[in-house]
Structures are given as C-alpha cells and as structure tokens.
C-alpha cells in the first residue's frame, strides 16, 4: 500500500474515533425522552424549582462542581448517580449523605459553602 492510501486510512480512523467519543459524551449528558416517543410534562418538585437559584450562587456552584468531579450526572437519579438528588440535595439540604450504588460518598465541600448555599436557597422558597 502506498503512503497516500495509508494516510487516508489513518485520517479516516482518527475522524471516526473523534465522532464516536463525541457521540458517547452526548449520550451521557443528553435528556432522553420516554420509551413511548413522547415526553411527559410534569410539574417540577419544590426541590427542582430551587435549582435555578442554586446554579446562580457561587457557593452552590462550588458544591455542584465537586459533585461533577465525583462523576454525578444531571438526570441520572434513577441510576443512583444523579447530580441533584444523589449529591447536591443530601449535602445542602441535609437528611443524609451523597450516595452511589447505595453507599455513602464523602463530598469535599467547605461548611461555609454549605451554609451560604442553604441561605441562598432559603431566600427563594
């Protein structure tokens, strides 16, 4: 095989790898519709309504960043890996610790960030 053919194969392979990695990332972060093909419209819970205020607060953003570093992902609460239900809410609202696969996980956040985030969420209830 000549050099030009080898180069084309290598470039095509590299492109394919990049596309596959991108598809994998999108699949992990995408919001999936229900299996019936229609999305369900539901009222957000009281906890979900406060997420906007949490996302805009620097202390809450630091807590969310730590949860993301530990691998918690938005929307994966059914798999015990949800960013809000399994990590953020237990840390900020108390009543437990962050969990994965039913086991407690320590989230390295400062108590002052937790207090500041609780105060910010309390203002928006």
């Amino acid at each position: 095989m000549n050099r030009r053919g080898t180069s084309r194969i290598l470039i095509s392979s590299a492109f394919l790898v990049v596309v596959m990695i991108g598809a994998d990332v999108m699949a992990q972060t995408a919001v999936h519709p229900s299996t019936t093909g229609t999305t369900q419209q539901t009222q957000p819970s009281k906890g979900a309504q406060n997420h906007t205020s949490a996302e805009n607060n620097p202390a809450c953003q630091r807590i969310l960043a730590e949860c993301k570093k530990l691998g918690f992902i938005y929307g994966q609460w059914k798999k015990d890996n949800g960013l809000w239900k399994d990590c953020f809410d237990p840390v900020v609202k108390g009543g437990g610790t962050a969990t994965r696969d039913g086991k407690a996980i320590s989230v390295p956040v400062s108590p002052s960030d937790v207090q500041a985030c609780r105060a910010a969420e309390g203002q928006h209830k």
Side-chain angles (χ1 to χ4, degrees):
M1 187 179 289
N2 62 21
R3 285 186 171 176
R4 188 173 181 179
T6 304
S7 295
R8 285 182 178 176
I9 290 172
L10 290 174
I11 291 171
S12 297
S13 298
F15 177 75
L16 183 60
V17 168
V18 169
V19 169
M20 291 173 60
I21 290 171
D24 186 44
V25 169
M26 290 299 295
Q28 291 180 12
T29 59
V31 177
H32 300 288
S34 68
T35 56
T36 61
T38 60
T39 57
Q40 297 177 354
Q41 297 291 327
T42 59
Q43 291 289 337
S45 67
K46 290 182 181 181
Q49 293 171 353
N50 290 333
H51 290 168
T52 303
S53 63
E55 290 172 338
N56 295 326
N57 180 285
C60 296
Q61 288 173 350
R62 286 189 289 274
I63 295 169
L64 286 169
E66 289 299 328
C67 288
K68 288 177 182 178
K69 283 181 191 176
L70 291 171
F72 289 95
I73 300 170
Y74 176 81
Q76 289 199 354
W77 56 271
K78 288 183 180 179
K79 296 180 181 179
D80 201 23
N81 195 36
L83 178 63
W84 295 100
K85 180 183 172 284
D86 299 312
C87 186
F88 182 84
D89 288 346
V91 169
V92 174
K93 297 179 180 178
T97 59
T99 61
R100 180 172 292 126
D101 298 327
K103 298 176 183 171
I105 292 180
S106 176
V107 181
V109 294
S110 71
S112 61
D113 280 346
V114 174
Q115 288 177 340
C117 191
R118 283 180 183 164
E121 286 208 320
Q123 293 173 355
H124 297 283
K125 284 187 178 179

